[in-house]
Amino acid sequence: MMLDETHDPRLGSWLESANTPATDFPLQNLPFGVFRRAGSDESFRGGVAIGDQILDLSAAVRTGVFGAGGVAPAAFQAAEAAAVAPLNGFMAAGAHAWSALRLALSRLLRLGSAQEMALRGCLVAQSQAEYGLPAHIGDYTDFYSSIYHATAVGRLFRPDQPLLPNYRWLPVAYHGRSSSIGVSGQQFPRPYGQALRGEPAPTVGPSQRLDYELELGVFIGPGNPPGHRIPLAAAERHVFGLCLLNDWSARDLQAWEAQPLGPFQGKNFATTISPWIVTLDALAPYRVPWERPAQDPAPLAYLDSADVRAAGAIDIELEVRLQSNLMHARGEEPEPVSRSNFKHAYWTIAQMVTHHTLNGCNLRTGDLLGTGTQSGPQPEQAGSLLELTHGGKQPLTLASGEQRRFLEDGDRVSLRAWCTRPGLPRIGFGEAIGRVLPAEA
Ligand code: MN
């Protein structure tokens, strides 16, 4: 991963809110999404988050700034593609197009840009926007890349053998469902399902063990033809970028149904992602070595490379906050309940992509991969309530005095993520908020 002028920490924007230390969206981030003015019947279109604003790419293309001197033709074409919602066409254009547009946007939004006045008319406040899904998502696959999560969950079901033998050899995953993926703000009724509820035979009813899962989502850029593997060295060229992902899970449904196949109704009722996709370009300064304990087996050759070992992991802080109905009514801030980091993942994004295609499975542009719940080595870094409360046995006590074993009706769950490094501006992912409504009668 190369650093270029777009990562220069000295760069500031003519938009003051992009230069504040707390913003998720400084000039060095430039994530892509799909939006329109809230409550309007406008068409959704592509935008870039900058400070507390969105640069409307459709409007910006119309001003002609991308045709001005100093903007590469590749950036002009990329801007036209990124202005259209959903972003599949832009995602398919590949890393050269993404980087060309990033460079053009960095120069246009930079302090001293000759295009400031033209672009000021293309800003929409994030507080006045609503978001769409950034891509048409054909397929969704959820991995299981945190060994801490896999071990903690495995221990609840198999105390004597928490981690199954395949875990250290391949990135485990299941195929999820794309129809119920929603963008931040998603609300859904508590799912019904079959479960064992203390009686010999299963009963049907609302889930009593509804949980969140703290994950990142990975959007696929160019896909691969059926039958053709993506080698590890090429894997990241197929990755457009990352978002937040909450893989809501009904643990009681999951425990009863997933014998022996993988998650079904315990997972497929809702998945919430954040509206902004942070590109691998933006994440380049936050790469860290990918390491695993010396006693663990080395990965098979197709999953191993010097590049992965040198910088395959990414240092991304992750956080879950919970706000009950009572807290919301009292105006109390959401309370942090989980805090972890993606650098603890046992498998890298490149390894997940490569393994996914090992058998010739074709990924398509706009496909979404979940990283799996990202729990860290410490107990408080657990990325789900299942782990935090030891399967519901030890309730969490919130500052409001309320207790939680699993999610209650009305609960709002907010995922956030950000990267920091000394000397660099902090870049963030925004938020993925979802809310549990009462079960349908
Ligand atoms: Mn999951």
Side-chain angles (χ1 to χ4, degrees):
M1 274 308 206
M2 299 290 291
L3 297 189
D4 59 33
E5 71 173 68
T6 66
H7 302 99
D8 186 339
R10 294 165 299 184
L11 293 180
S13 173
W14 45 258
L15 182 66
E16 199 46 47
S17 65
N19 305 325
T20 56
T23 184
D24 275 350
F25 307 118
L27 187 61
Q28 289 80 1
N29 192 348
L30 302 175
F32 295 94
V34 156
F35 80 101
R36 67 179 176 187
R37 283 184 179 79
S40 75
D41 57 1
E42 296 172 356
S43 302
F44 282 100
R45 63 253 189 208
V48 174
I50 179 79
D52 61 4
Q53 303 287 311
I54 301 166
L55 179 67
D56 179 340
L57 284 173
S58 176
V61 165
R62 285 197 301 273
T63 65
V65 295
F66 292 102
V71 176
F76 176 69
Q77 287 172 11
E80 288 194 311
V84 179
L87 298 175
N88 294 60
F90 179 51
M91 292 173 164
H96 180 67
W98 312 331
S99 298
L101 181 54
R102 175 181 166 84
L103 177 61
L105 288 167
S106 173
R107 290 176 177 173
L108 289 168
L109 293 167
R110 200 173 289 176
L111 203 59
S113 160
Q115 308 298 340
E116 173 182 344
M117 287 320 293
L119 289 174
R120 278 201 181 268
C122 305
L123 297 176
V124 174
Q126 288 166 27
S127 61
Q128 290 168 22
E130 64 183 1
Y131 299 99
L133 284 174
H136 169 72
I137 302 168
D139 282 295
Y140 159 48
T141 304
D142 195 22
F143 281 87
Y144 201 47
S145 73
S146 163
I147 197 169
Y148 304 105
H149 173 69
T151 303
V153 172
R155 191 175 289 122
L156 295 172
F157 298 103
R158 296 177 305 274
D160 44 334
Q161 193 193 16
L163 204 64
L164 292 170
N166 62 1
Y167 192 87
R168 292 186 171 88
W169 294 95
L170 58 81
V172 171
Y174 68 93
H175 280 129
R177 186 160 185 86
S178 57
S179 68
S180 52
I181 299 173
V183 75
S184 184
Q186 184 177 27
Q187 308 189 69
F188 58 91
R190 176 178 296 274
Y192 265 67
Q194 267 198 36
L196 290 178
R197 296 183 169 92
E199 294 173 41
T203 57
V204 179
S207 170
Q208 295 168 356
R209 291 163 71 89
L210 185 60
D211 201 354
Y212 60 78
E213 289 195 336
L214 169 57
E215 307 196 15
L216 290 170
V218 179
F219 272 103
I220 297 298
N224 59 306
H228 292 271
R229 300 190 292 274
I230 297 176
L232 194 62
E236 290 195 354
R237 293 204 287 275
H238 293 265
V239 174
F240 176 65
L242 275 59
C243 64
L244 293 157
L245 187 151
N246 185 347
D247 177 27
W248 304 93
S249 299
R251 303 300 183 189
D252 41 356
L253 279 53
Q254 185 183 354
W256 169 237
E257 73 182 0
Q259 304 176 19
L261 296 187
F264 182 39
Q265 298 201 300
K267 301 272 194 179
N268 67 6
F269 53 90
T271 306
T272 306
I273 63 172
S274 54
W276 296 113
I277 307 176
V278 178
T279 62
L280 289 188
D281 273 345
L283 293 166
Y286 310 96
R287 308 294 297 228
V288 290
W290 171 78
E291 294 164 325
R292 53 168 56 176
Q295 69 269 22
D296 284 15
L300 294 173
Y302 78 99
L303 293 175
D304 201 356
S305 75
D307 286 348
V308 163
R309 288 176 183 266
I314 315 176
D315 183 352
I316 304 175
E317 293 283 342
L318 305 166
E319 185 180 71
V320 181
R321 297 183 306 157
L322 183 66
Q323 189 188 43
S324 67
N325 260 345
L326 180 68
M327 293 162 70
H328 188 260
R330 288 177 178 168
E332 293 170 7
E333 287 294 303
E335 179 172 338
V337 286
S338 298
R339 184 87 178 261
S340 186
N341 192 303
F342 185 49
K343 71 184 177 188
H344 299 306
Y346 198 78
W347 298 101
T348 69
I349 290 168
Q351 288 169 325
M352 292 185 238
V353 168
T354 289
H355 182 70
H356 204 312
T357 65
L358 175 65
N359 62 349
C361 173
N362 52 313
L363 296 174
R364 292 181 296 190
T365 298
D367 281 0
L368 180 65
L369 313 183
T371 59
T373 308
Q374 294 302 308
S375 301
Q378 303 304 321
E380 66 276 13
Q381 293 175 317
S384 67
L385 286 174
L386 183 73
E387 296 158 82
L388 282 173
T389 68
H390 300 268
K393 291 195 197 71
Q394 296 174 21
L396 285 183
T397 301
L398 304 172
S400 63
E402 298 169 281
Q403 290 198 321
R404 285 292 179 277
R405 297 170 195 274
F406 291 97
L407 296 171
E408 303 278 336
D409 291 349
D411 281 354
R412 292 168 169 85
V413 176
S414 161
L415 271 49
R416 298 197 300 185
W418 60 92
C419 302
T420 59
R421 192 154 187 164
L424 294 185
R426 168 190 181 283
I427 67 168
F429 282 68
E431 225 173 352
I433 303 177
R435 187 172 183 220
V436 182
L437 301 176
E440 288 197 318

